[in-house]
């Protein structure tokens, strides 16, 4: 007497184990592709894993909340990992103290350009007001962006999606863009990607160079605060 | 291992409490990061003790974004309606923000005599 495979499947899809294994496996596959291509930025492991898992959820008709019950254990680790960004920052503290003015300039320029240009383009396409509010904080780390979006009248889940698209796009484009511009200062490259593409950009910077990673962490942390302050002001210009 | 993990999580917890108690614009983990940086100043030995666990976590930072990223499947309808506008807005503004941030940094670094010579990108 064998159990019905459909029953086993029904049991597994409702528990956290299956989706936890799927998340880790999809990321391992994405990371293997990333390594196999010689760490090319377009073979972004987050993008590959999201595409695989998205296809799997749609293919099996599983809704996102069921998936998230398993994946929440991985999601939870974002918090402690963010706290740990203090380690590369502490290692680079003397260099950061010497570069306070360049950091401030890069942060303010990157943060303002990110919010103003995104809203101007979206406005040009005729996006409605709640979509603009959802888009405004897209360069900040997800939990902050969601808080800002709510305060501006945006849709939090849409903001989470836009934040992710921004991070993945920034992580993919950063290395070729800066090589094209001839920017060779790891501090500038790191700070800019942390400011424009938050944690996913920071993860990319950490893979490339420890100094870039530390400055990316600074950019991400400071931009979370700065965007919370400037996004409401910039939004007023687009009302 | 366990005391080190507990230390990291405790900093996040204090950050979460501070974020809510004082209604700060920064999320709990970012405040926890700032507090941990302060703790390294008071107790430098903590930095070397936390380094193996911390670097282990940071080596897989991208993995932790995957569950939130899969949330895109819940918004496929929205992408169909506004996808092109959103993708163009994100792509163009991210390229502009990256360039503006890095160029402003290097310009001010040069003006303040802070250009870095010792370690450069290829």
């Amino acid at each position: 007497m064998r159990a019905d495979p459909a029953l086993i499947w029904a049991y597994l899809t409702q528990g956290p184990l299956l989706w936890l294994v799927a998340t880790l496996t999809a990321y391992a596959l994405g990371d293997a592709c990333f390594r196999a291509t010689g760490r090319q930025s377009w073979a972004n492991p987050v993008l590959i894993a999201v595409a695989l898992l998205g296809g799997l959820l749609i293919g099996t008709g599983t809704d996102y909340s069921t998936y998230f019950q398993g994946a929440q254990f991985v999601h939870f680790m974002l918090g402690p990992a963010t706290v740990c960004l203090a380690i590369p920052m502490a290692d680079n503290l003397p260099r950061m103290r010497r570069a306070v003015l360049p950091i401030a300039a890069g942060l303010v320029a990157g943060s303002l350009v990110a919010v103003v240009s995104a809203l101007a383009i979206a406005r040009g396409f005729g996006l409605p007001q709640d979509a603009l509010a959802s888009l405004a904080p897209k360069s900040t780390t997800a939990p902050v962006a969601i808080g800002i979006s709510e305060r501006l009248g945006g849709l939090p889940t849409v903001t989470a999606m836009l934040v992710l698209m921004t991070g993945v796009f920034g992580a993919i484009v950063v290395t070729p863009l800066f090589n094209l511009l001839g920017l060779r200062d790891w501090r500038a490259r790191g700070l800019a990607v942390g400011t424009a593409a938050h944690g996913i950009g920071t993860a990319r910077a950490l893979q490339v160079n420890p100094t870039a990673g530390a400055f990316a962490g600074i950019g991400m942390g400071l931009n979370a605060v700065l965007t919370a302050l400037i996004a409401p002001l910039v939004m007023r210009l687009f009302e | 291992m366990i005391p080190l993990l507990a230390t990291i999580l405790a900093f996040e917890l204090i950050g979460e409490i501070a974020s809510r108690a004082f209604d700060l614009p920064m999320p709990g983990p970012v405040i926890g990061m700032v507090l941990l940086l302060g703790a390294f100043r008071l107790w430098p030995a903590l930095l070397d003790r936390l380094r193996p666990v911390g670097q282990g976590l940071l080596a897989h930072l991208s993995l932790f974004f995957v569950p939130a990223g899969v949330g895109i499947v819940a918004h496929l309808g929205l992408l169909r309606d506004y996808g092109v506008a959103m993708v163009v807005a994100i792509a163009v503004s991210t390229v502009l923000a990256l360039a503006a941030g890095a160029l402003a940094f290097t310009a001010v670094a040069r003006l303040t005599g802070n250009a870095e010579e010792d370690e450069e990108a290829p």
Side-chain angles (χ1 to χ4, degrees), chain A residues 27 46 53 64 71 77 79-81 86 91 95 98 102 105-106 117 127 138 144 157 164 169 184 187 192 209 211 225, chain B residues 12 26-27 33 37 51 57-58 62-64 66-67 69 71 73 75 82 85 91 93 98 101 105 108 114 116 119-121:
Chain A
Y27 182 77
V46 180
L53 289 164
Y64 180 64
M77 296 308 289
D91 289 336
R95 313 173 74 185
R98 270 183 274 128
S117 64
L127 286 198
K138 57 143 182 74
V144 186
T157 51
L164 235 105
F169 181 78
R184 297 154 68 91
R187 302 170 305 169
N209 178 280
T211 302
V225 183
Chain B
E12 186 185 353
M26 279 188 285
M33 171 182 85
L37 201 57
R51 194 176 270 118
L57 278 174
L58 289 179
S62 332
L63 163 67
F64 308 140
V66 170
V73 298
H75 295 294
Y82 300 122
S93 95
L98 282 169
F105 185 106
V108 173
N114 201 280
E116 190 144 68
E119 185 198 16
E120 290 196 329

Side-chain angles (χ1 to χ4, degrees), chain A residues 170-185:
Chain A
I172 289 173
V173 84
V174 59
T175 303
L177 175 69
F178 286 158
N179 288 345
L180 196 72
L181 291 175
L183 279 162
R184 297 154 68 91
D185 190 329

Side-chain angles (χ1 to χ4, degrees), chain A residues 87-112:
Chain A
I87 295 169
M89 284 165 81
D91 289 336
N92 279 281
L93 212 53
R95 313 173 74 185
M96 284 177 182
R97 210 169 284 138
R98 270 183 274 128
V100 167
L101 289 178
I103 287 174
L107 175 75
V108 172
S111 185
L112 265 177

Side-chain angles (χ1 to χ4, degrees), chain A residues 10-89:
Chain A
Y11 167 75
L12 286 177
T13 51
Q14 294 312 308
L17 181 62
L18 176 67
W19 300 114
L20 182 57
V21 174
T23 302
L24 294 175
T25 306
Y27 182 77
L29 286 171
D31 201 44
C33 291
F34 179 59
R35 283 166 203 282
T37 59
R39 303 171 86 82
Q40 290 290 318
S41 54
W42 52 263
N44 185 277
V46 180
L47 183 65
I48 295 168
V50 166
L52 289 173
L53 289 164
L56 187 65
L57 291 194
I58 293 167
T60 59
T62 307
D63 59 21
Y64 180 64
S65 58
T66 307
Y67 164 77
F68 197 76
Q69 278 181 11
Q72 62 177 318
F73 304 108
V74 175
H75 181 74
F76 175 81
M77 296 308 289
L78 263 183
T82 303
V83 173
C84 286
L85 283 172
I87 295 169
M89 284 165 81

Side-chain angles (χ1 to χ4, degrees), chain B residues 57-111:
Chain B
L57 278 174
L58 289 179
H60 300 291
L61 184 58
S62 332
L63 163 67
F64 308 140
F65 288 97
V66 170
V70 179
I72 201 163
V73 298
H75 295 294
L76 293 177
L78 195 92
L79 274 181
R80 218 168 291 132
D81 296 340
Y82 300 122
V84 174
M86 283 173 168
V87 167
V88 171
I90 283 174
V92 175
S93 95
T94 304
V95 166
L96 291 177
L98 282 169
L103 292 172
F105 185 106
T106 44
V108 173
R110 217 168 286 136
L111 281 175

Side-chain angles (χ1 to χ4, degrees), chain B residues 10-58:
Chain B
F11 274 93
E12 186 185 353
L13 179 66
I14 297 167
E16 288 288 0
I17 294 170
S19 175
R20 275 159 183 71
F22 304 110
D23 201 21
L24 299 173
M26 279 188 285
V30 174
I31 296 172
M33 171 182 85
V34 174
L35 293 175
L36 184 58
L37 201 57
F40 289 152
R41 296 273 294 162
L42 295 176
W43 190 26
L46 185 65
L47 178 57
D48 287 320
R49 292 201 59 199
L50 284 184
R51 194 176 270 118
V53 178
Q55 282 178 342
L57 278 174
L58 289 179

